[in-house]
Amino acid sequence: MLRHYDELGLLTPERVDPATGYRGYGFAQLAGLHRLVALRDLGLSLQQIGKVLPENPTVEQLRGMLRLRRAELADQLIDDEARLRRVDAHLRALDGGAVVSNLNVVVKTTEPITVVEAQGPADGFGHEHIGPVFDRLVPQVLESLGEHGPRLGMRVAWYEEPADDGSVVVHVGFDIRDQDCTPVRPARLTTLPAVRAATVVHTGPMDDISLVYEALVGWIESSGEQLAGRSRELYHHHDDDHPDQHVTELQMPLAN
Amino acid sequence: MLRHYDELGLLTPERVDPATGYRGYGFAQLAGLHRLVALRDLGLSLQQIGKVLPENPTVEQLRGMLRLRRAELADQLIDDEARLRRVDAHLRALDGGAVVSNLNVVVKTTEPITVVEAQGPADGFGHEHIGPVFDRLVPQVLESLGEHGPRLGMRVAWYEEPADDGSVVVHVGFDIRDQDCTPVRPARLTTLPAVRAATVVHTGPMDDISLVYEALVGWIESSGEQLAGRSRELYHHHDDDHPDQHVTELQMPLAN
DNA sequence: TTGCTCCTCACGTCACGTGAGGTGGC
DNA sequence: TTGCTCCTCACGTCACGTGAGGTGGC
């Protein structure tokens, strides 16, 4: 440690034997070392310490550095508390005998997505209700673009708040990246904003998706997070001939 | 990031172009990447992740790994909270217009010290009371060792709880490291146990020491720590001809 | 022919810890 | 002569990020 501090010029030995190179420290240096260690124990980097150690700095400089450090520590505490709750959420999910493959919930901030979309009502959330509505809406979107439409990317779906009778308004669209596009009639352009969301990637047929929904909702509750807004489904890869290879991402927006 | 994971064998591309070396990933790999990222976000190392990623591990293994991580995180939270309080204590000391040179309080666990010591009463804590008692006790210790005593190290002093009239029992001794020694009569062998303590190094005459005491007590209070046991004074370097070069360390034991 | 994307090294980050190989004074 | 302490490189840690220099396909 002392060799390291010598090398960085933070604590130069009082004397160095010219023949052997032995470092010799004086009693007067103990206070300097002590201060160095004190600052290091606050989590300051040696570079920062180097700035305030020798040229005795103003109280204002010290205060500024400590305030900065205070803010960093406070942020880190918040992050680590959230991390701890996420670990707990995974542990509880394991104890609950996870139905869906576990340990794959990621909290992330999504990118905004611009989609051409159409909407329509369904009688409920079940696959049997939603599937036919998709089959009706998707052609609507494609037709709205005419001959020279943009190249369509990933399919995306989301749902409005369900009515009292359980019916929901379904939205289906396609990512168009940054291409220009002016869809007609029922179809329209929508930009899904960036959100912080709990996300899961589901591989397999859509029949299972309700289990994934349940698991994700349970995970969010036990992680101390709060749902804020409607879920999104991203169809990264859907080949109708191989439903077991479907790759779907579920995103549930979180408060904050 | 993907290159790094490929190199570590955590996520091998589905296909690599033999001519160009271009990495190609399949949709089926998205779930694996997602799980990897999920585990990384919990703060697990890539090495740990490597152990549970491919060979699908038992729930017990996963639970063990998460429990371990949980404990690490909890410890880290406690440490960081204490660190934050220390930063705050320094900030408050700065605002209070620190009398003694600041930012040099270190919380550390001391080594045990074995000393030959003698004790005697003083009328109070002031330098004027303590000084003469030292002058009387030190020769007592030296005489107790006879001709071939151990080589004496650093001088150490500590104090018993003061009586109602303000008088205190003063202890003075010398570090004998690991040498054997059988002192006679009033002097005796004492081992000061290892303690967690808030410590300050004071450079200069002992007249100032009461200010250092005050500052240290204030710092401890505002750092959220608690005093536990009597202070110690370590006289690292005392040359009577140069009192301004005295190097004294003050140690105040803390709870925990 | 010009961009563009992706490739492979190789080095930097942060605060040391840990050998390897060597040496002066007891 | 044998230990002992201290010395100087040099490399490893951890998860990538960042150039430098190069290349195949549009």
Side-chain angles (χ1 to χ4, degrees):
Chain A
M1 197 181 87
L2 290 176
R3 275 192 282 271
H4 191 53
Y5 294 162
D6 182 16
E7 200 167 354
L8 296 184
L10 290 178
L11 190 73
T12 312
E14 211 173 72
R15 58 193 183 285
V16 176
D17 187 309
T20 64
Y22 277 32
R23 279 168 257 263
Y25 293 86
F27 288 109
Q29 302 193 271
L30 188 54
L33 176 60
H34 218 254
R35 170 176 280 235
L36 204 168
V37 169
L39 293 169
R40 194 196 56 180
D41 287 349
L42 300 180
L44 294 164
S45 74
L46 295 188
Q47 199 181 47
Q48 289 175 302
I49 294 176
K51 281 179 197 155
V52 301
L53 207 60
E55 346 109 24
N56 65 329
T58 67
V59 173
E60 265 322 306
Q61 284 176 308
L62 286 175
R63 214 197 303 273
M65 180 162 275
L66 289 186
R67 288 236 177 92
L68 175 63
R69 182 66 196 137
R70 208 211 110 89
E72 289 171 356
L73 270 173
D75 284 354
Q76 196 189 323
L77 271 176
I78 290 171
D79 286 354
D80 281 345
E81 278 161 6
R83 204 186 308 274
L84 182 59
R85 282 196 301 268
R86 268 182 279 146
V87 173
D88 279 341
H90 283 300
L91 273 170
R92 270 194 288 267
L94 276 183
D95 287 340
V99 185
V100 283
S101 77
N102 219 300
L103 291 175
N104 53 2
V105 179
V106 172
V107 175
K108 63 185 176 191
T109 300
T110 66
E111 301 274 306
I113 312 177
T114 301
V115 294
V116 225
E117 55 122 340
Q119 53 176 287
D123 287 343
F125 269 117
H127 188 235
E128 67 280 16
H129 300 300
I130 303 291
V133 179
F134 277 11
D135 294 341
R136 213 175 57 234
L137 293 178
V138 167
Q140 265 187 34
V141 174
L142 298 180
E143 283 160 21
S144 80
L145 296 169
E147 281 293 297
H148 296 289
R151 281 175 306 145
L152 298 180
M154 179 176 55
R155 184 152 62 96
V156 180
W158 67 100
Y159 309 91
E160 294 180 19
E161 198 69 38
D164 289 343
D165 62 358
S167 69
V168 280
V169 174
V170 178
H171 293 250
V172 189
F174 292 90
D175 183 9
I176 58 164
R177 314 293 288 178
D178 47 7
Q179 299 167 87
D180 279 330
C181 157
T182 44
V184 291
R185 300 303 296 275
R188 62 197 191 106
L189 226 53
T190 302
T191 296
L192 296 171
V195 289
R196 204 171 74 90
T199 65
V200 155
V201 170
H202 170 63
T203 305
M206 288 304 283
D207 316 27
D208 307 353
I209 201 74
S210 63
L211 290 177
V212 181
Y213 264 95
E214 277 174 33
L216 187 50
V217 167
W219 188 92
I220 288 170
E221 277 172 7
S222 71
S223 74
E225 300 278 2
Q226 288 222 316
L227 268 171
R230 300 261 75 206
S231 310
R232 304 168 183 174
E233 292 169 0
L234 309 187
Y235 301 84
H236 289 292
H237 183 64
H238 271 231
D239 175 352
D240 288 339
D241 295 340
H242 302 284
D244 56 322
Q245 291 171 22
H246 286 357
V247 177
T248 315
E249 181 174 341
L250 215 61
Q251 300 186 334
M252 296 200 180
L254 300 175
N256 265 2
Chain B
M1 197 180 89
L2 290 176
R3 276 191 281 269
H4 190 53
Y5 294 161
D6 181 15
E7 200 168 355
L8 297 182
L10 290 178
L11 190 73
T12 311
E14 212 173 72
R15 57 193 184 283
V16 176
D17 187 308
T20 65
Y22 277 32
R23 279 167 257 262
Y25 293 86
F27 288 108
Q29 302 194 268
L30 188 54
L33 175 60
H34 217 255
R35 168 177 280 233
L36 204 169
V37 170
L39 293 170
R40 194 196 55 182
D41 287 349
L42 300 180
L44 293 164
S45 73
L46 294 187
Q47 201 182 48
Q48 290 175 302
I49 293 175
K51 281 180 195 153
V52 300
L53 206 61
E55 343 111 24
N56 66 328
T58 66
V59 173
E60 264 322 307
Q61 285 175 308
L62 286 175
R63 214 197 304 271
M65 181 162 276
L66 289 187
R67 288 236 177 93
L68 175 62
R69 182 67 196 137
R70 208 211 110 90
E72 288 171 355
L73 270 172
D75 284 353
Q76 195 188 324
L77 271 176
I78 290 171
D79 287 353
D80 281 346
E81 278 161 6
R83 203 186 308 274
L84 183 59
R85 282 196 300 268
R86 267 182 279 146
V87 172
D88 279 341
H90 283 300
L91 273 170
R92 271 195 286 269
L94 276 183
D95 287 341
V99 186
V100 284
S101 76
N102 219 301
L103 291 174
N104 54 2
V105 180
V106 173
V107 174
K108 64 186 177 191
T109 300
T110 66
E111 301 274 306
I113 312 177
T114 301
V115 294
V116 224
E117 55 123 340
Q119 53 177 288
D123 286 343
F125 270 117
H127 188 235
E128 67 280 15
H129 301 300
I130 304 290
V133 179
F134 277 11
D135 294 342
R136 211 175 59 234
L137 294 178
V138 167
Q140 265 189 35
V141 174
L142 299 180
E143 284 161 20
S144 81
L145 296 169
E147 281 292 296
H148 297 290
R151 280 174 308 143
L152 298 181
M154 178 175 57
R155 185 152 61 95
V156 180
W158 66 100
Y159 310 91
E160 294 181 18
E161 198 69 38
D164 288 342
D165 62 359
S167 69
V168 281
V169 175
V170 178
H171 293 250
V172 188
F174 292 90
D175 183 10
I176 58 164
R177 314 293 287 177
D178 46 5
Q179 300 166 86
D180 279 329
C181 156
T182 44
V184 291
R185 299 304 295 275
R188 62 196 192 105
L189 225 53
T190 302
T191 296
L192 296 172
V195 288
R196 204 172 73 91
T199 64
V200 155
V201 170
H202 169 64
T203 305
M206 289 304 283
D207 317 25
D208 307 353
I209 201 75
S210 63
L211 290 177
V212 181
Y213 264 94
E214 277 174 33
L216 187 50
V217 167
W219 189 92
I220 289 170
E221 277 173 8
S222 71
S223 74
E225 299 278 3
Q226 288 221 316
L227 268 171
R230 301 262 76 206
S231 310
R232 303 170 183 173
E233 292 170 0
L234 310 187
Y235 300 84
H236 289 292
H237 181 65
H238 272 231
D239 174 353
D240 288 339
D241 295 340
H242 301 286
D244 56 322
Q245 291 171 21
H246 285 358
V247 177
T248 314
E249 180 174 342
L250 214 61
Q251 300 186 334
M252 295 199 180
L254 299 175
N256 264 3

